[in-house]
Amino acid sequence: MKSSAVKISKDLSVPSKEGMHYRLLCLTGKNKGISYYLSGKRAVMGRGDEADVQVLDAKSSRAHAELKKVGAKYVVTDLGSQNGIIINDLKVTQHQLIDGDKIIIGQTVYKYSVHNNKALSVIEEDDEDDDDDEYEEVKSSKKAKSKEKEKKSRKRLFVLIGVLALVYFVLDGSDPGVKKKKKSTENLQEVTEALNMVYNDQKKIEDKDTRDKVDTFIHRARREYREGNYFRAIEELNLCLILAPNHGYCSFLERKAKQSFDETIRQHFEKAKIDVDSLKYKAALIEYCAVVRLLDEVKKAGKEDLRLDEAEQNIFFVEEKLGMEKGEHKCF
């Protein structure tokens, strides 16, 4: 619906108009690829026709969440919806949005971003009417021939920026070496090959059976993550990425699960070291065994992790300090 609080666009490129731009980009669902630019003090997200940002998701309430501008930031608030809202990986009732946040309602994901355009020299300034219609999908149909040429040049530039933005977003979270290579190369063939890969993967995910399987993997991964079973969550997300290698949300969740898994192990090692320095050897054994149990799942999956060897060697060291035989202490 037409709303003064939200302007809708299918253009993925960053707006050229000078000033602050607050955007919600729909990443999944029926409105995937549509940008919602917040321009008012308040906007409502929900399934109802009267919503400013219509969420076409079965788990969305008619008036699901409110986006309210407080100062120079937007705050999202759950309006008492049945299924709630998730920001990144945490269910919240209210949250002050920052650039890069993911708003999740049901299976629909929106990416919030803030763009501060101070000045742009790449695109020539057009008539005032064009500035006023910067976000509108329908542009004025007739121009003078000279203006028509300028419009075509700008359109090609917008499409190129949008395509490149899409490629970098989809490939976000891949191997840092690959990402660095993409940034350093100017080879058009590499960009073309990446676009072809994205297109083929998108066609694959459009298959209903594949889409249902991906949704199942995501559901299982989120459940395991909430229960602290980070490696199991990673395994589920690996299966998701086998089916849909460039699935943005699966890649995002996999990164979060790996970060949480590594951080948990780091904390156990750190606590054990403090215990050893304090001569609290039995407490240190508990921490090292926690690491062993976490990494035992990695070992069972047929993978190696040097941290497991480190934990076991530390256990042998503590056993010696306690006057125990090597291997006497068992981690259950």
Side-chain angles (χ1 to χ4, degrees):
M1 63 172 286
K2 189 75 174 178
S3 171
S4 59
V6 175
K7 294 181 180 180
I8 302 173
S9 174
K10 293 183 180 179
D11 191 351
L12 293 177
S13 60
V14 177
S16 60
K17 189 175 180 180
E18 187 175 347
M20 295 291 294
H21 303 281
Y22 305 88
R23 181 176 75 174
L24 285 181
L25 174 61
C26 187
L27 304 181
T28 64
K30 296 181 180 179
N31 286 333
K32 181 178 180 180
I34 295 181
S35 296
Y36 301 86
Y37 291 91
L38 308 175
S39 56
K41 292 291 185 181
R42 181 181 184 271
V44 173
M45 300 177 70
R47 195 178 70 252
D49 294 335
E50 69 281 2
D52 301 296
V53 179
Q54 192 169 30
V55 185
L56 300 179
D57 192 296
K59 293 186 178 180
S60 173
S61 300
R62 294 181 62 83
H64 198 103
E66 174 193 62
L67 295 163
K68 188 173 182 180
K69 193 172 185 181
V70 180
K73 298 181 181 293
Y74 274 92
V75 175
V76 61
T77 304
D78 186 359
L79 294 177
S81 63
Q82 183 175 357
N83 295 297
I85 54 175
I86 294 175
I87 303 298
N88 300 325
D89 55 5
L90 183 65
K91 190 171 184 179
V92 302
T93 56
Q94 190 174 70
H95 175 79
Q96 185 178 77
L97 294 169
I98 61 174
D99 187 43
D101 274 348
K102 300 288 195 312
I103 301 175
I104 305 167
I105 297 177
Q107 297 297 322
T108 307
V109 183
Y110 296 86
K111 181 180 180 181
Y112 174 78
S113 57
V114 181
H115 303 279
N116 184 5
N117 291 349
K118 295 182 179 179
L120 288 179
S121 58
V122 177
I123 303 175
E124 295 182 6
E125 185 174 312
D126 206 346
D127 292 342
E128 291 182 2
D129 289 340
D130 288 333
D131 288 337
D132 293 338
D133 295 335
E134 184 66 40
Y135 297 110
E136 300 298 329
E137 296 178 28
V138 181
K139 309 264 179 153
S140 53
S141 59
K142 292 184 179 181
K143 294 286 182 181
K145 290 184 179 180
S146 59
K147 290 291 182 182
E148 204 61 49
K149 291 181 181 179
E150 293 177 8
K151 284 181 66 179
K152 289 181 180 178
S153 297
R154 284 198 301 274
K155 185 175 181 180
R156 286 194 294 269
L157 180 60
F158 282 143
V159 171
L160 178 59
I161 294 173
V163 167
L164 291 176
L166 178 61
V167 171
Y168 280 107
F169 170 74
V170 174
L171 294 181
D172 180 38
S174 59
D175 187 357
V178 176
K179 192 171 183 180
K180 184 177 180 180
K181 183 178 179 182
K182 284 188 66 61
K183 287 184 177 180
S184 62
T185 184
E186 295 179 358
N187 192 325
L188 182 59
Q189 183 178 358
E190 290 187 9
V191 177
T192 303
E193 290 175 356
L195 286 172
N196 289 335
M197 180 179 63
V198 173
Y199 174 73
N200 291 333
D201 287 331
Q202 183 58 38
K203 287 180 64 179
K204 186 175 181 181
I205 199 63
E206 286 174 358
D207 175 70
K208 185 179 184 303
D209 183 55
T210 302
R211 187 168 62 248
D212 289 344
K213 289 179 180 178
V214 166
D215 289 343
T216 299
F217 290 137
I218 290 175
H219 176 75
R220 291 175 181 172
R222 288 174 59 183
R223 182 187 63 203
E224 297 289 0
Y225 185 92
R226 287 194 298 268
E227 294 175 359
N229 302 321
Y230 302 124
F231 182 73
R232 295 180 191 175
I234 294 170
E235 292 290 276
E236 293 291 342
L237 293 166
N238 284 337
L239 294 174
C240 173
L241 291 170
I242 290 174
L243 280 178
N246 291 309
H247 196 285
Y249 188 44
C250 281
S251 297
F252 167 75
L253 290 179
E254 185 192 36
R255 289 199 306 274
K256 294 292 290 184
K258 286 181 177 178
Q259 290 171 2
S260 298
F261 187 59
D262 292 340
E263 177 61 19
T264 301
I265 292 174
R266 186 195 67 79
Q267 290 177 359
H268 283 303
F269 270 122
E270 190 174 276
K271 178 65 166 55
K273 184 179 183 304
I274 293 173
D275 289 335
V276 169
D277 292 341
S278 303
L279 305 182
K280 298 177 181 179
Y281 296 121
K282 290 185 178 180
L285 280 177
I286 294 174
E287 298 298 329
Y288 286 132
C289 280
V291 174
V292 169
R293 284 192 292 271
L294 285 170
L295 294 176
D296 188 55
E297 294 189 47
V298 179
K299 184 178 180 180
K300 289 179 180 178
K303 301 177 182 179
E304 294 184 0
D305 195 311
L306 295 178
R307 292 173 297 184
L308 178 59
D309 293 334
E310 182 182 353
E312 290 175 341
Q313 290 300 321
N314 287 334
I315 289 175
F316 296 153
F317 170 78
V318 175
E319 285 176 333
E320 183 180 353
K321 290 294 183 180
L322 290 172
M324 301 169 65
E325 295 291 332
K326 184 176 181 180
E328 181 179 344
H329 182 79
K330 303 297 181 183
C331 295
F332 296 103

CSV table of all heavy atoms in Angstrom, one decimal, residues 3-4 27 83 112 115 117 129 136 166 201 206 228-229 231 246-247 251-252 268 277 286 298 312 314 321 329-330:
chain,number,residue,atom,x,y,z
A,3,SER,N,2.2,4.6,1.4
A,3,SER,CA,2.4,5.1,2.7
A,3,SER,C,3.4,6.2,2.7
A,3,SER,O,4.4,6.2,2.1
A,3,SER,CB,2.8,4.0,3.7
A,3,SER,OG,3.2,4.5,4.9
A,4,SER,N,3.0,7.3,3.5
A,4,SER,CA,3.9,8.5,3.6
A,4,SER,C,5.1,8.1,4.5
A,4,SER,O,6.1,8.8,4.5
A,4,SER,CB,3.2,9.7,4.1
A,4,SER,OG,2.6,9.4,5.4
A,27,LEU,N,15.0,-10.0,2.5
A,27,LEU,CA,15.9,-11.0,2.0
A,27,LEU,C,15.2,-12.4,1.7
A,27,LEU,O,15.8,-13.1,0.9
A,27,LEU,CB,17.0,-11.3,3.1
A,27,LEU,CG,17.8,-10.1,3.6
A,27,LEU,CD1,18.8,-10.5,4.6
A,27,LEU,CD2,18.4,-9.4,2.4
A,83,ASN,N,3.8,-14.6,17.5
A,83,ASN,CA,5.0,-15.4,17.3
A,83,ASN,C,6.3,-14.5,17.6
A,83,ASN,O,7.4,-15.0,17.6
A,83,ASN,CB,5.1,-15.9,15.9
A,83,ASN,CG,4.1,-16.9,15.6
A,83,ASN,OD1,4.0,-18.0,16.2
A,83,ASN,ND2,3.2,-16.6,14.7
A,112,TYR,N,18.3,-4.4,8.0
A,112,TYR,CA,18.2,-2.9,8.3
A,112,TYR,C,19.6,-2.3,8.0
A,112,TYR,O,20.6,-2.8,8.4
A,112,TYR,CB,17.8,-2.7,9.8
A,112,TYR,CG,17.8,-1.2,10.2
A,112,TYR,CD1,16.8,-0.4,9.9
A,112,TYR,CD2,18.9,-0.7,10.9
A,112,TYR,CE1,16.8,0.9,10.3
A,112,TYR,CE2,18.9,0.6,11.3
A,112,TYR,CZ,17.9,1.4,11.0
A,112,TYR,OH,17.9,2.8,11.4
A,115,HIS,N,22.2,4.6,5.4
A,115,HIS,CA,23.1,5.2,4.5
A,115,HIS,C,23.2,6.7,4.6
A,115,HIS,O,22.1,7.3,4.6
A,115,HIS,CB,22.7,4.8,3.0
A,115,HIS,CG,22.6,3.4,2.8
A,115,HIS,ND1,23.7,2.6,2.5
A,115,HIS,CD2,21.5,2.6,2.8
A,115,HIS,CE1,23.3,1.3,2.3
A,115,HIS,NE2,22.0,1.3,2.5
A,117,ASN,N,24.4,9.8,2.9
A,117,ASN,CA,24.9,10.4,1.6
A,117,ASN,C,25.2,11.9,1.9
A,117,ASN,O,24.3,12.7,1.9
A,117,ASN,CB,23.9,10.2,0.5
A,117,ASN,CG,23.8,8.8,0.1
A,117,ASN,OD1,24.6,7.9,0.5
A,117,ASN,ND2,22.8,8.5,-0.7
A,129,ASP,N,12.1,17.7,-9.8
A,129,ASP,CA,11.1,16.7,-9.8
A,129,ASP,C,11.7,15.3,-9.7
A,129,ASP,O,11.1,14.4,-9.0
A,129,ASP,CB,10.3,16.8,-11.1
A,129,ASP,CG,9.4,18.0,-11.1
A,129,ASP,OD1,9.2,18.6,-10.0
A,129,ASP,OD2,9.0,18.4,-12.2
A,136,GLU,N,10.7,6.5,-6.1
A,136,GLU,CA,9.5,6.0,-6.7
A,136,GLU,C,9.9,5.0,-7.9
A,136,GLU,O,10.9,5.2,-8.5
A,136,GLU,CB,8.7,7.1,-7.3
A,136,GLU,CG,8.2,8.1,-6.3
A,136,GLU,CD,7.3,7.5,-5.2
A,136,GLU,OE1,6.6,6.5,-5.6
A,136,GLU,OE2,7.3,7.9,-4.1
A,166,LEU,N,24.4,-7.0,-4.8
A,166,LEU,CA,23.8,-8.4,-4.6
A,166,LEU,C,24.8,-9.4,-4.5
A,166,LEU,O,24.8,-10.3,-3.6
A,166,LEU,CB,22.8,-8.7,-5.8
A,166,LEU,CG,22.1,-10.0,-5.7
A,166,LEU,CD1,21.3,-10.2,-4.5
A,166,LEU,CD2,21.3,-10.2,-6.9
A,201,ASP,N,21.9,-21.0,-8.3
A,201,ASP,CA,21.5,-21.3,-6.9
A,201,ASP,C,20.1,-20.8,-6.6
A,201,ASP,O,19.3,-21.4,-5.9
A,201,ASP,CB,22.5,-20.8,-5.9
A,201,ASP,CG,23.8,-21.6,-6.0
A,201,ASP,OD1,23.7,-22.8,-6.3
A,201,ASP,OD2,24.8,-21.0,-5.7
A,206,GLU,N,14.2,-22.1,-5.6
A,206,GLU,CA,12.8,-21.8,-5.9
A,206,GLU,C,12.0,-23.1,-5.9
A,206,GLU,O,10.8,-23.1,-5.9
A,206,GLU,CB,12.7,-21.1,-7.2
A,206,GLU,CG,13.2,-19.6,-7.1
A,206,GLU,CD,13.2,-18.9,-8.5
A,206,GLU,OE1,12.9,-19.6,-9.5
A,206,GLU,OE2,13.5,-17.7,-8.5
A,228,GLY,N,22.5,-24.2,23.2
A,228,GLY,CA,23.9,-24.2,23.4
A,228,GLY,C,24.7,-25.3,22.6
A,228,GLY,O,25.9,-25.5,22.8
A,229,ASN,N,24.0,-26.0,21.8
A,229,ASN,CA,24.7,-27.1,21.0
A,229,ASN,C,25.2,-26.5,19.7
A,229,ASN,O,24.6,-26.8,18.6
A,229,ASN,CB,23.7,-28.3,20.7
A,229,ASN,CG,23.2,-28.9,22.0
A,229,ASN,OD1,23.9,-29.0,23.0
A,229,ASN,ND2,21.9,-29.2,22.0
A,231,PHE,N,27.9,-26.8,17.8
A,231,PHE,CA,28.5,-27.7,16.7
A,231,PHE,C,27.3,-28.4,15.9
A,231,PHE,O,27.4,-28.5,14.7
A,231,PHE,CB,29.5,-28.7,17.2
A,231,PHE,CG,30.1,-29.5,16.2
A,231,PHE,CD1,31.0,-29.0,15.3
A,231,PHE,CD2,29.7,-30.9,16.0
A,231,PHE,CE1,31.6,-29.8,14.3
A,231,PHE,CE2,30.2,-31.6,14.9
A,231,PHE,CZ,31.2,-31.1,14.1
A,246,ASN,N,24.6,-20.4,-1.6
A,246,ASN,CA,24.7,-19.0,-1.3
A,246,ASN,C,23.5,-18.4,-0.6
A,246,ASN,O,23.1,-17.3,-0.7
A,246,ASN,CB,24.8,-18.3,-2.7
A,246,ASN,CG,26.2,-18.5,-3.4
A,246,ASN,OD1,27.2,-18.4,-2.7
A,246,ASN,ND2,26.1,-19.0,-4.6
A,247,HIS,N,22.9,-19.3,0.3
A,247,HIS,CA,21.8,-18.9,1.1
A,247,HIS,C,22.3,-17.9,2.1
A,247,HIS,O,23.0,-18.3,3.1
A,247,HIS,CB,21.1,-20.1,1.7
A,247,HIS,CG,19.7,-19.8,2.2
A,247,HIS,ND1,19.5,-19.1,3.4
A,247,HIS,CD2,18.5,-20.1,1.7
A,247,HIS,CE1,18.2,-19.0,3.6
A,247,HIS,NE2,17.6,-19.6,2.6
A,251,SER,N,24.2,-18.8,5.8
A,251,SER,CA,25.6,-18.3,6.0
A,251,SER,C,25.7,-17.5,7.2
A,251,SER,O,26.7,-17.6,8.0
A,251,SER,CB,26.1,-17.5,4.7
A,251,SER,OG,26.1,-18.3,3.6
A,252,PHE,N,24.8,-16.6,7.4
A,252,PHE,CA,24.8,-15.7,8.6
A,252,PHE,C,24.7,-16.5,9.9
A,252,PHE,O,25.5,-16.3,10.8
A,252,PHE,CB,23.6,-14.7,8.5
A,252,PHE,CG,23.3,-14.0,9.8
A,252,PHE,CD1,24.2,-12.9,10.2
A,252,PHE,CD2,22.3,-14.3,10.6
A,252,PHE,CE1,23.9,-12.3,11.4
A,252,PHE,CE2,22.0,-13.7,11.8
A,252,PHE,CZ,22.9,-12.6,12.2
A,268,HIS,N,36.4,-21.5,28.4
A,268,HIS,CA,36.7,-22.7,29.2
A,268,HIS,C,38.3,-22.8,29.4
A,268,HIS,O,38.8,-23.0,30.5
A,268,HIS,CB,36.2,-24.0,28.6
A,268,HIS,CG,34.8,-24.2,28.8
A,268,HIS,ND1,34.2,-24.3,30.1
A,268,HIS,CD2,33.8,-24.4,27.9
A,268,HIS,CE1,32.9,-24.5,29.9
A,268,HIS,NE2,32.6,-24.6,28.6
A,277,ASP,N,46.7,-21.6,37.7
A,277,ASP,CA,47.5,-20.5,38.4
A,277,ASP,C,47.2,-20.4,39.9
A,277,ASP,O,48.0,-20.0,40.7
A,277,ASP,CB,47.4,-19.2,37.7
A,277,ASP,CG,48.0,-19.2,36.3
A,277,ASP,OD1,48.8,-20.2,36.0
A,277,ASP,OD2,47.6,-18.4,35.4
A,286,ILE,N,37.6,-29.8,35.5
A,286,ILE,CA,36.2,-29.6,35.0
A,286,ILE,C,36.2,-28.8,33.8
A,286,ILE,O,35.5,-29.1,32.8
A,286,ILE,CB,35.4,-29.0,36.2
A,286,ILE,CG1,35.3,-29.9,37.4
A,286,ILE,CG2,34.0,-28.6,35.6
A,286,ILE,CD1,34.6,-29.3,38.6
A,298,VAL,N,33.1,-33.0,17.4
A,298,VAL,CA,33.8,-32.7,16.2
A,298,VAL,C,34.6,-33.9,15.7
A,298,VAL,O,34.7,-34.3,14.6
A,298,VAL,CB,34.8,-31.5,16.4
A,298,VAL,CG1,35.7,-31.3,15.2
A,298,VAL,CG2,34.1,-30.3,16.8
A,312,GLU,N,43.5,-32.3,26.1
A,312,GLU,CA,43.9,-33.6,26.7
A,312,GLU,C,45.3,-33.5,27.3
A,312,GLU,O,45.6,-34.1,28.3
A,312,GLU,CB,43.9,-34.6,25.6
A,312,GLU,CG,42.5,-35.0,25.1
A,312,GLU,CD,42.4,-35.9,24.0
A,312,GLU,OE1,43.5,-36.1,23.3
A,312,GLU,OE2,41.4,-36.5,23.7
A,314,ASN,N,46.6,-30.8,28.6
A,314,ASN,CA,46.5,-30.1,29.8
A,314,ASN,C,45.9,-30.9,30.9
A,314,ASN,O,46.3,-30.8,32.1
A,314,ASN,CB,45.6,-28.9,29.6
A,314,ASN,CG,46.3,-27.8,28.8
A,314,ASN,OD1,47.5,-27.7,28.8
A,314,ASN,ND2,45.5,-27.0,28.1
A,321,LYS,N,50.0,-33.0,38.5
A,321,LYS,CA,50.0,-32.2,39.7
A,321,LYS,C,49.3,-32.7,40.9
A,321,LYS,O,49.6,-32.5,42.0
A,321,LYS,CB,49.5,-30.8,39.3
A,321,LYS,CG,50.3,-30.0,38.3
A,321,LYS,CD,51.6,-29.6,39.0
A,321,LYS,CE,52.5,-28.7,38.1
A,321,LYS,NZ,53.7,-28.3,38.8
A,329,HIS,N,42.0,-39.7,35.1
A,329,HIS,CA,40.8,-38.9,35.2
A,329,HIS,C,40.0,-39.1,33.9
A,329,HIS,O,40.5,-38.9,32.8
A,329,HIS,CB,41.1,-37.5,35.4
A,329,HIS,CG,39.9,-36.6,35.5
A,329,HIS,ND1,39.1,-36.5,36.7
A,329,HIS,CD2,39.3,-35.8,34.6
A,329,HIS,CE1,38.1,-35.7,36.5
A,329,HIS,NE2,38.2,-35.2,35.2
A,330,LYS,N,38.7,-39.4,34.0
A,330,LYS,CA,37.9,-39.6,32.9
A,330,LYS,C,36.8,-38.5,32.8
A,330,LYS,O,36.2,-38.1,33.8
A,330,LYS,CB,37.1,-41.0,33.0
A,330,LYS,CG,38.0,-42.2,33.1
A,330,LYS,CD,38.9,-42.4,31.9
A,330,LYS,CE,39.8,-43.6,32.1
A,330,LYS,NZ,40.8,-43.8,31.0
